[in-house]
């Protein structure tokens, strides 16, 4: 209805059709009528009796959403199914693809033959078959099987629980990950929690098939589904977070993406709190992933995790200290390339955690080898500029501000923590500042530019602020 009302010009016919749908409840019908009442006065338009014709016209205009709604409410048949198949490929929405497959499954043998007689429909249907993991039924069925009942086609998953059960039956790991990627923006965590035993089934699949390529490829997308949840992290999803981290740890290659995902899952578990054995297990997995990587990126992620641990309850201070020692070893290993701001942050964290001797070991015996060889801090380039720092974590932004003043004492700094698109944020965005760098989630540990960091700290420099 919103698409119909806000269109240019508004689609009066679609508005009238939606208001007359039989399956609407009283409150839903009243709401749709209230929306329809915002339409400008126009001559009355008779509802069309040919919904397929209207859907084809909407498709020709490029209004694929309206076309899909019209086709979906049209009488069942070959033309409707052909249109749904074409439109589902245009929309690229999992629910739309599942409805198109359902419509095809409801056709009899002769109907399927007619439906796939058009080459463009056949090609689109082939894509749906591959994505849904169907066995590849022939387009033209033998006439002698026409009297047999038609078995329903498997649906594409509409929830994380359905995906987990569906994924272990598939052989194409890339296709499984692609469905998870789409589901990360379409599914809701509430649907998983609403299904009785839903989280238990997801945990069982993750624990049983942790070494599966399909599961490994999909883990970052599944984590993205949880991190975009408004109530992240949820106590009722604790077991799923742990199972995801365990699956990642079981087959990690130490890549940059593994480090990022492990840090996000650890953040959730630390914030929810753990007992001593579980805390030791989680920290042990993080140490293994960092050790497998052994890269410069592991230093940044390690500092990020240590900062999280310093803010969260610690039932096992020894394991937390061991992780800091691991970061110390990585700083020694990459001494010539470590950003000076990383060193200062390491010193701050070591002091907070009562291990003041670690920074001395890093800067003492190796100072001569490092002096003059360390790269210039990315923050040094902000000296003399006006800077806006955006982060949802006030402590993280304040840490970065303190480090910034050490590297760029003449910078003018403004901190932003708004959780919605406030007028202040819009004003900052309109002031023409250039995007200097972006740092990953929660803290100021990562002081090198990174392309992805929606949960991180953004630094906008050279803003024309008063």
């Amino acid at each position: 209805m919103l698409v119909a009302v806000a269109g240019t010009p508004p689609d009066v016919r679609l508005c009238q059709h939606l208001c007359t749908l039989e399956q609407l409840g009283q409150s839903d019908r009243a709401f749709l009528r209230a929306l329809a009442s915002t339409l400008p006065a126009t001559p009355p338009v008779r509802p069309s009796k040919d919904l397929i014709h209207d859907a084809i016209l909407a498709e020709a205009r490029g209004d694929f959403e309206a076309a899909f709604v019209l086709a979906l409410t049209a009488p069942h048949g070959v033309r409707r199914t052909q249109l749904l198949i074409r439109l589902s490929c245009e929309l690229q929405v999992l629910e739309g693809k599942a409805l198109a497959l359902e419509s095809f499954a409801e056709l009899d043998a002769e109907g399927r033959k007619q439906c796939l007689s058009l080459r463009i429909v056949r090609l689109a249907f082939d894509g749906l078959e591959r994505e849904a993991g169907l066995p590849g039924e022939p387009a033209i069925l033998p006439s002698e099987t026409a009297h047999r009942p038609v078995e329903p086609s498997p649906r594409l998953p509409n929830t994380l629980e359905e995906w987990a059960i569906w994924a272990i039956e598939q052989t194409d790991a890339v296709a499984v990950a692609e469905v998870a990627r789409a589901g990360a923006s379409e599914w809701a965590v509430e649907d998983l929690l609403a299904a009785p035993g839903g989280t238990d089934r997801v945990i069982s699949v993750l624990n049983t098939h942790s070494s599966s390529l399909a599961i490994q490829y999909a883990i970052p997308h599944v984590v993205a589904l949880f991190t975009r949840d408004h109530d992240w992290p949820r106590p009722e999803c604790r077991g799923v977070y742990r199972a995801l981290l365990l699956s990642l740890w079981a087959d990690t290659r130490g890549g940059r993406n593994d480090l990022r995902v492990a840090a996000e899952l650890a953040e959730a578990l630390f914030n929810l709190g753990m007992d001593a054995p579980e805390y030791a297990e989680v920290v042990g997995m993080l140490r293994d992933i960092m050790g497998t990587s052994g890269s410069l990126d592991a230093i940044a992620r390690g500092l990020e995790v240590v900062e999280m641990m310093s803010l969260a309850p610690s039932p096992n201070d020894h394991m937390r200290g061991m992780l800091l020692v691991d970061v110390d070893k990585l700083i020694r290993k990459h001494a010539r390339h470590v950003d000076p701001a990383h060193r200062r942050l390491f010193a701050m964290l070591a002091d907070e955690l009562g291990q003041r001797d670690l920074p001395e070991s890093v800067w003492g015996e190796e100072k001569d080898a490092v002096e003059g060889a360390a790269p210039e801090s990315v923050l040094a380039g902000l000296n003399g500029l006006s800077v806006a720092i955006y982060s949802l974590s006030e402590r993280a932004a304040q840490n970065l501000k303190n480090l910034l003043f050490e590297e760029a004492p003449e910078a003018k700094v403004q901190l932003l923590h708004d959780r919605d698109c406030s007028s202040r944020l819009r004003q900052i965005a309109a002031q023409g500042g250039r995007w200097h760098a972006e740092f990953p989630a929660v803290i100021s540990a990562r002081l090198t530019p990174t392309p992805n960091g929606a949960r991180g700290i953004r630094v906008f420099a050279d803003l024309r602020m008063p």
Side-chain angles (χ1 to χ4, degrees):
M1 179 62 79
L2 290 175
V3 172
V5 171
T8 307
D11 194 332
V12 179
R13 180 173 292 167
L14 179 58
C15 288
Q16 292 179 345
H17 171 70
L18 291 174
C19 288
T20 58
L21 291 175
E22 294 180 0
Q23 59 266 41
L24 290 176
Q26 256 188 338
S27 58
D28 292 333
R29 194 182 307 280
F31 179 69
L32 290 180
R33 284 175 177 167
L35 288 177
S37 67
T38 63
L39 285 170
T42 55
V45 180
R46 285 188 177 182
S48 173
K49 294 183 179 180
D50 191 351
L51 294 173
I52 294 295
H53 176 70
D54 292 347
I56 292 173
L57 291 179
E59 181 189 24
R61 296 194 306 268
D63 192 353
F64 301 120
E65 292 89 351
F68 194 89
V69 171
L70 287 167
L72 199 59
T73 53
H76 183 68
V78 172
R79 293 178 66 205
R80 172 185 184 265
T81 303
Q82 289 176 331
L83 195 52
L84 288 176
I85 290 173
R86 294 205 310 269
L87 291 170
S88 68
C89 292
E90 293 289 350
L91 293 173
Q92 287 297 305
V93 176
L94 290 177
E95 186 177 1
K97 294 176 181 179
L99 290 171
L101 287 172
E102 271 190 0
S103 182
F104 180 80
E106 291 170 2
L107 296 174
D108 58 19
E110 185 61 29
R112 292 187 179 191
K113 177 180 176 180
Q114 292 178 23
C115 179
L116 299 177
S117 61
L118 294 178
R119 179 176 176 80
I120 187 171
V121 177
R122 175 72 232 190
L123 292 174
F125 184 74
D126 284 346
L128 295 180
E129 278 188 321
R130 287 192 297 272
E131 191 166 355
L134 300 182
E137 188 175 79
I140 301 177
L141 301 176
S143 57
E144 60 269 17
T145 65
H147 65 281
R148 295 179 185 172
V150 178
E151 295 295 330
S153 299
R155 286 173 57 95
L156 280 169
N158 283 328
T159 66
L160 179 61
E161 179 199 3
E162 291 181 9
W163 172 85
I165 297 170
W166 170 85
I168 59 178
E169 300 172 352
Q170 309 307 310
T171 56
D172 188 343
V174 175
V176 170
E178 181 61 22
V179 171
R181 183 199 61 77
S185 59
E186 296 179 32
W187 302 332
V189 176
E190 288 83 357
D191 294 334
L192 172 66
L193 299 176
T199 55
D200 291 337
R201 280 187 286 275
V202 172
I203 292 170
S204 175
V205 169
L206 291 172
N207 289 340
T208 308
H209 300 84
S210 60
S211 60
S212 163
L213 262 186
I215 298 297
Q216 289 295 321
Y217 288 170
I219 285 176
H221 306 307
V222 176
V223 173
L225 167 66
F226 285 106
T227 56
R228 73 176 180 85
D229 177 27
H230 182 71
D231 294 324
W232 158 270
R234 292 177 183 254
E236 55 267 50
C237 294
R238 179 200 307 270
V240 183
Y241 304 153
R242 180 183 173 279
L244 284 166
L245 181 59
L246 186 62
S247 297
L248 182 68
W249 165 81
D251 199 42
T252 184
R253 301 293 190 273
R256 177 178 295 180
N257 211 35
D258 286 3
L259 291 168
R260 175 186 62 80
V261 174
E264 290 179 336
L265 292 169
E267 174 194 356
L269 293 169
F270 289 142
N271 287 339
L272 292 173
M274 294 174 280
D275 57 25
E278 186 179 6
Y279 188 91
E281 180 189 45
V282 169
V283 176
M285 287 189 283
L286 289 171
R287 293 182 65 197
D288 287 344
I289 294 172
M290 286 174 52
T292 303
S293 171
S295 64
L296 198 61
D297 288 317
I299 296 176
R301 292 299 178 186
L303 290 171
E304 179 181 349
V305 170
V306 172
E307 173 85 356
M308 294 178 206
M309 296 167 73
S310 70
L311 297 174
S314 173
N316 192 326
D317 290 341
H318 173 71
M319 290 299 296
R320 185 174 63 180
M322 291 303 296
L323 185 61
L324 193 64
V325 171
D326 290 344
V327 177
D328 170 48
K329 293 177 181 178
L330 289 171
I331 291 177
R332 292 168 179 268
K333 176 181 177 181
H334 300 284
R336 291 192 305 108
H337 306 287
V338 177
D339 191 292
H342 273 151
R343 296 178 179 277
R344 288 181 174 83
L345 181 59
F346 179 76
M348 290 168 53
L349 293 173
D351 185 65
E352 286 181 8
L353 299 179
Q355 300 196 40
R356 297 177 180 84
D357 57 322
L358 285 179
E360 292 300 321
S361 70
V362 173
W363 290 341
E365 62 192 52
E366 299 186 15
K367 185 174 180 181
D368 295 336
V370 175
E371 207 166 55
E376 181 185 9
S377 169
V378 69
L379 299 180
L382 301 180
N383 201 33
L385 298 180
S386 295
V387 178
I389 298 177
Y390 177 77
S391 172
L392 296 183
S393 169
E394 294 186 26
R395 171 169 174 168
Q398 189 61 50
N399 277 349
L400 180 57
K401 180 180 178 180
N402 295 338
L403 292 173
L404 176 59
F405 279 146
E406 292 185 15
E407 299 291 328
E410 297 180 13
K412 299 177 182 178
V413 181
Q414 178 177 355
L415 302 183
L416 306 169
H417 311 295
D418 308 53
R419 289 184 174 271
D420 54 5
C421 187
S422 64
S423 58
R424 183 168 68 148
L425 287 182
R426 285 196 294 268
Q427 181 183 6
I428 290 293
Q431 284 177 328
R434 60 187 175 85
W435 177 33
H436 182 79
E438 187 169 338
F439 308 107
V442 181
I443 67 151
S444 56
R446 190 178 185 82
L447 301 176
T448 52
T450 179
N452 299 313
R455 295 178 48 74
I457 301 176
R458 286 194 173 188
V459 178
F460 294 91
D462 202 17
L463 295 168
R464 295 189 292 275
M465 296 192 298

